[in-house]
Amino acid sequence: MAETKPVNLAVVGATGAVGEKIIQLLENRDFPINELKLLSSKRSAGKKVSFRNQELTVEEAQPESFRNVDIALFSAGGSVSKKLAPEAVKHGTVVIDNTSAYRMDQNVPLVVPEINEADIRLHQGIIANPNCSTIQMAAALKPVQDAFGLSRVIVSTYQAVSGAGNAANDELENQTRQFLNGEEMTAAQLPVKDESSHYPVAFNALPQIDTFQENGYTFEEMKMINETKKILHHDDLAIAATCVRLPIFTSHAESVYLNVDQQDVTVSDIWDVLEKTEGIVLQDNPDTQTYPMPLSSSDKEDVFVGRVRKDLDEANGFHLWVVSDNLIKGAALNTIQIAEHLNNHNWF
Amino acid sequence: MAETKPVNLAVVGATGAVGEKIIQLLENRDFPINELKLLSSKRSAGKKVSFRNQELTVEEAQPESFRNVDIALFSAGGSVSKKLAPEAVKHGTVVIDNTSAYRMDQNVPLVVPEINEADIRLHQGIIANPNCSTIQMAAALKPVQDAFGLSRVIVSTYQAVSGAGNAANDELENQTRQFLNGEEMTAAQLPVKDESSHYPVAFNALPQIDTFQENGYTFEEMKMINETKKILHHDDLAIAATCVRLPIFTSHAESVYLNVDQQDVTVSDIWDVLEKTEGIVLQDNPDTQTYPMPLSSSDKEDVFVGRVRKDLDEANGFHLWVVSDNLIKGAALNTIQIAEHLNNHNWF
């Protein structure tokens, strides 16, 4: 690969859960940065952040912030992306957007580099990072699809609160303390901050992530359904999702049922293709009680897969359990990987 | 119904999580008890328990404990049931067993009274109470099966720790305190007490409930599969389960996918049959963020169903979210209901 040019990089939403993780991952990553610009809302501007032996000051994100910025990583919420991403593009900046604002836009590539790196070069200024729960599932499905064909997916998720940001993390911790102190638990963030009802997530399960759509599915469920089809280039995939928020700080887990096209596939065949896939770690041994869990998967970059079982009734049916850190591969790392592929190939 | 005779009742495992709940429910229930005998292991014998204005002393369960006992409710673990249930039967006692010891025995009825009350009369001394996660799902499936036929079920569970007993409850509380105090979490109960590896359940998800079977499924998963077929009298049902333990004290939740036989069924049709079913409460309104949750379902006797959605690809496919208190309808209440039906019909 040709030598890569150091870039001027901006992080929008630098003080949020994903922004913080992006800065933390960039610190030790072999990504050539000329200048790092940290941007946030007016409220968080002025904060100091240390990065590669420098002290950086967070600035308020403005339309003119993107002058001379080569790549901007957005994770400050959909409304900020809708307002500022087009401004950044006007300055020639390539935006990698970690919100749902542009994911289903047909002019915007939706990318998990291990799956559809080539889509990056089709960008017209904006590249979208998929939803956290989508990325890890698609990462596990892709090698199966390539090897055996894929016709059907039914997923039920076990999602961490950090997917709803630092305030949701704080809320879970606070509710847990309240419960142990015998106090009533108070809720203001989950399931959806801007909706009217809030329920404690501590010692509970909330079968709502994001707002309900007209068809009775939540937006999170429709993200998993639509984004997976787009990333896998598989419009005909029959796919359904039920998304549930749980009292877990970090790492989403997913119970995935799938049908492959071939009828003679074995569990060993599935293991083989998963084991050979970059970014996937197979943890699957009932004899040693080995399987992925959120606590063991947190702060790690891989997607962990276990509990691979053949369905007892359908010869082409399999069950998987997929776990990954929702802030790393589910957000910050995938965003950075898109930026690295963009830069390495000079696909500006 | 004919007047019912007051019975001599024994509770085996009276100091366990389910036994305690049985005594608590019997307290206020219109069940005619002549004498209540509380039995336990040697270790717990001697404890005092108040019941309907009497103070009862827990006695060690022995083969001769069942003399003059009409009905014995067993929930002291499979090995106790295997040893003592046949002894009780020798004394003419009818055993209602809340363990997995006899559930799949072809001479033992496996009963959820709303579903298959008539099976009670086929007993030969032992009647089995199904597994907690099975009861609530079967309760929701039965009216759907009766109305529209049922060919396929895929379930992923979200199970509370109290299903593993009081010690697992204590472990979750203890781990939670350790976590908040910045200490390392210690685990000795979950996922399975007698196995070699234990993992913290606090802020985690354990994709193992009970021991692994040769086919890669856990025993809990196979219980859901086999018991559901038996209760629904539906050997041809295609059914798969993935069972997961979560940091929830009480009430299991289940994400259920199903296929009905008829092709023209609507969500309203499903709502209608569920709403008409005794023991089922429909909580399903996206506009008001109304759906069942473990915290709102605990200490209640019903099975709560919500998030009813038509599959986006299969015309006969539906998704449900089913929640119920695993110690009440999932265990103690269903056991008592079997005893009540047995007594009311004089099916001794």
Side-chain angles (χ1 to χ4, degrees), chain B residues 44-179:
Chain B
S44 298
K47 281 194 185 171
K48 308 284 186 189
V49 174
S50 99
F51 179 73
R52 295 185 185 174
N53 301 319
Q54 285 184 282
E55 191 182 64
L56 304 178
T57 304
V58 178
E59 299 167 41
E60 184 186 353
Q62 308 259 27
E64 59 271 31
S65 304
F66 301 95
R67 191 182 305 272
N68 294 323
V69 169
D70 300 305
I71 303 174
L73 312 180
F74 274 67
S75 57
S79 59
V80 173
S81 292
K82 276 184 186 148
K83 191 176 148 210
L84 290 180
E87 299 295 332
V89 172
K90 282 185 202 162
H91 285 96
T93 306
V94 177
V95 169
I96 304 173
D97 184 32
N98 201 22
T99 77
S100 63
Y102 299 100
R103 286 181 191 145
M104 296 312 296
D105 186 323
Q106 59 181 3
N107 296 317
V108 174
L110 183 67
V111 178
V112 180
E114 301 90 316
I115 298 178
N116 59 337
E117 182 204 33
D119 289 353
I120 295 174
R121 69 189 310 169
L122 306 174
H123 79 82
Q124 298 174 24
I126 301 176
I127 301 159
N129 192 70
N131 183 48
C132 45
S133 52
T134 309
I135 291 175
Q136 66 184 68
M137 181 171 72
L141 292 177
K142 171 67 173 172
V144 175
Q145 178 191 15
D146 285 350
F148 313 114
L150 184 69
S151 59
R152 176 61 158 151
V153 172
I154 298 171
V155 57
S156 297
T157 71
Y158 300 69
Q159 293 186 231
V161 295
S162 55
N166 283 333
N169 263 346
D170 294 344
E171 179 158 285
L172 170 57
E173 185 171 336
N174 191 41
Q175 287 168 353
T176 305
R177 281 189 203 285
Q178 290 172 325
F179 182 89

Side-chain angles (χ1 to χ4, degrees), chain A residues 138-152:
Chain A
L141 292 177
K142 171 67 172 173
V144 175
Q145 178 191 16
D146 285 351
F148 313 114
L150 183 70
S151 59
R152 176 60 158 151

